Amino acid sequence: MIECWRWFGPDDPTQLSDLPQVGATGVVTALHQFAPGEIWPRKAVAERKTLIEAAGLRWEVVESLPVSEAIKTQGPDMAAHLDAYKESLAALAAEGIETVCYNFMPILDWTRTEMRAPQAHGGTAMLFDLPTFAAFDMHILGRANARDDYPEDVHEAATEVLASLDENARARLTRTIIAGLPGANDGWTLDDVRARLSTYDGITADRLRQNLIDFLSEVAPVADRLGMRLCCHPDDPPFSLLGLPRVMSTTDDYARIIEAVDTPANGATLCTGSMGVDPGFDASDFVRRLGPRIHFAHLRNTKRLPSPDPSRASFFEAPHLQGDTDMVATLRALMAEEARRRAEGRDDHAIPMRPDHGQELLMDRTRDSLPGYPLIGRMRGLAELRGIMAALA
């Protein structure tokens, strides 16, 4: 597998010069200076590529070339944004960058309720607590009909959470939930979220799934012609939040989308942490069923916690080998898929992967670090994953 590292650009506290010591050879990054729906100019792509290669590394995966809300909802700007997406793909292809990760999550990217929850070993981890999220949804955001989305046990637990939060804690919780991916929604207010929620009125899961199929029907043929691979990241967490539909949460979800747009460019990002929150998820089965279309892998682990709603778990970001996903079995399946590809003569037989997220450990606690992306915690994860791969080789 190609060992990669998520890097958020020149402002990332982890510098490219750190990565040779980490051991990664590939970089996963994006041009975050461009808003969703804007064109990525080839000049900007080339400048980022040059910066990465000057450090002795290779830009392996774009994460993400974001899909705008206008595309997800098929709003008035959809046609222009689709054109921009295709032009951005062409700019990337012209610079030799072939793999593009994206997601189709409505409004918010990954969602947590605490970015630095203390752990018994002295470090911290990101946490999603369902009653805390429900307290935000029902009482802080005040979403219409939010109470209907939760069973009574969650109502009671959320009321207890709300009573424990002072004004500063409520503001911190709001920032944590709205922010999502580092730097993505830093300027949003509660009114911004309410306005965006209104754009999904009448959009069911079936409608959102069809919108995804329509998007891929437009861009996947372009990616095929350019020799590129598109890989959709799963919903995180893999269940509905804020009353919004989720359509990429299970192996069956992926199978439906791949079958609907059955072209080599249309593929999957296997994220063991996101999908592993679902007790029914089997990462090895995902690889066995959809292996030929796995273009990228996020290898991280989550640990489910007791929840008052059996259908939606609370969870925290566990060490890479200590969560609910069997990482040894997952890597065994991925490496078997790579061997199958080599036997077929596929040029893309090596699957890029990265140690996704990580607990804050040791010097991570005192240095500047983006939530979910600490240096030491991810380096530990990469070392553990590398050890498994060496043992299985």
Side-chain angles (χ1 to χ4, degrees), residues 110-142:
W110 51 257
T111 303
R112 303 292 183 268
T113 55
E114 190 169 353
M115 293 301 189
R116 294 178 170 89
Q119 301 295 294
H121 53 53
T124 67
M126 293 199 298
L127 169 73
F128 176 85
D129 179 69
L130 182 65
T132 302
F133 183 86
F136 166 81
D137 188 12
M138 292 189 292
H139 302 292
I140 298 175
L141 180 64

Side-chain angles (χ1 to χ4, degrees), residues 102 104 208-224 230-232 248 253-268 290 293 295:
Y102 69 96
F104 220 74
L208 185 63
R209 184 179 298 107
Q210 186 58 52
N211 290 358
L212 172 55
I213 291 169
D214 292 344
F215 162 71
L216 287 168
S217 297
E218 285 278 342
V219 301
V222 174
D224 272 325
L230 304 175
C231 40
C232 189
M248 295 300 278
D253 286 338
Y254 275 90
R256 291 175 70 174
I257 296 301
I258 288 172
E259 181 181 359
V261 186
D262 191 6
T263 185
N266 179 26
L290 305 175
R293 296 291 184 84
H295 299 324

